[in-house]
Amino acid sequence: MNPGLNTLITQLHPKGWTSLFVSLVDASVDLLEENEVQKLLFTTGLNLAKQNPLPEDLSLDELQAEMNLVFDRHGWGYSEIIQKGNEIYVRHLGCPFLVCMGPEKLELAGVLLGGMYYQWFTNLGMHEDTEVSVISEDDTGLLAEVSFI
């Protein structure tokens, strides 16, 4: 991870929550099995989405705008919804905890976002059995992509 970028993120979020998040993930990795860490982060994302519910009956453009209002309020970057046939992809850019985690743990940080997206999409009628996968497209940690298959 670029130390300058990490310093900039810390300066933009001076309350120390990014360091706390990184420390909690590191402690979880040390104490739990990988699938348990993923479940913890995904469930955290579900709970964050429940605390920030979105209006119902939205078009994809309206959904993207509503999600970005939540992310803007928290300073968590922004998302773009991309529809390719029957598949939906969400590209999430500029999220501080994605950057602070570094490339080796980016997917774990993305799992938290995946939980948020899953909750919001199921509230809008997505089938609960829909598979959600999180990938990193960018080794700087600035981008996570969430796929609903």
Side-chain angles (χ1 to χ4, degrees):
M1 175 56 49
N2 179 330
L5 186 58
N6 207 1
T7 300
L8 176 62
I9 293 298
T10 303
Q11 289 172 347
L12 293 173
H13 298 277
K15 296 182 176 136
W17 73 267
T18 52
S19 328
L20 175 63
F21 179 76
V22 171
S23 295
L24 285 171
V25 170
D26 286 343
S28 298
V29 168
D30 291 344
L31 297 171
L32 304 170
E33 298 293 325
E34 184 177 346
N35 64 333
E36 293 172 317
V37 175
Q38 290 179 350
K39 185 175 180 179
L40 172 71
L41 292 170
F42 192 80
T43 303
T44 301
L46 294 175
N47 290 331
L48 285 168
K50 288 175 186 176
Q51 292 171 14
N52 296 277
L54 302 179
E56 295 180 14
D57 197 28
L58 300 171
S59 69
L60 285 182
D61 288 340
E62 292 167 333
L63 176 60
Q64 179 176 299
E66 290 293 328
M67 289 188 308
N68 283 327
L69 286 173
V70 171
F71 293 132
D72 186 56
R73 200 168 44 244
H74 293 292
W76 290 350
Y78 67 97
S79 64
E80 298 172 344
I81 297 176
I82 303 159
Q83 185 172 8
K84 297 178 184 175
N86 291 336
E87 296 181 357
I88 299 284
Y89 297 89
V90 180
R91 297 180 72 215
H92 196 107
L93 297 100
C95 189
F97 54 82
L98 290 174
V99 175
C100 291
M101 289 305 296
E104 69 282 352
K105 292 186 184 145
L106 177 62
E107 188 173 334
L108 285 177
V111 169
L112 184 140
L113 290 173
M116 292 183 77
Y117 289 121
Y118 176 85
Q119 182 65 40
W120 284 332
F121 277 88
T122 54
N123 283 348
L124 295 173
M126 181 181 79
H127 195 277
E128 291 181 2
D129 291 337
T130 301
E131 181 183 332
V132 177
S133 61
V134 181
I135 60 168
S136 165
E137 270 190 4
D138 184 326
D139 66 359
T140 67
L142 295 175
L143 170 66
E145 184 172 276
V146 181
S147 304
F148 298 90
I149 302 169

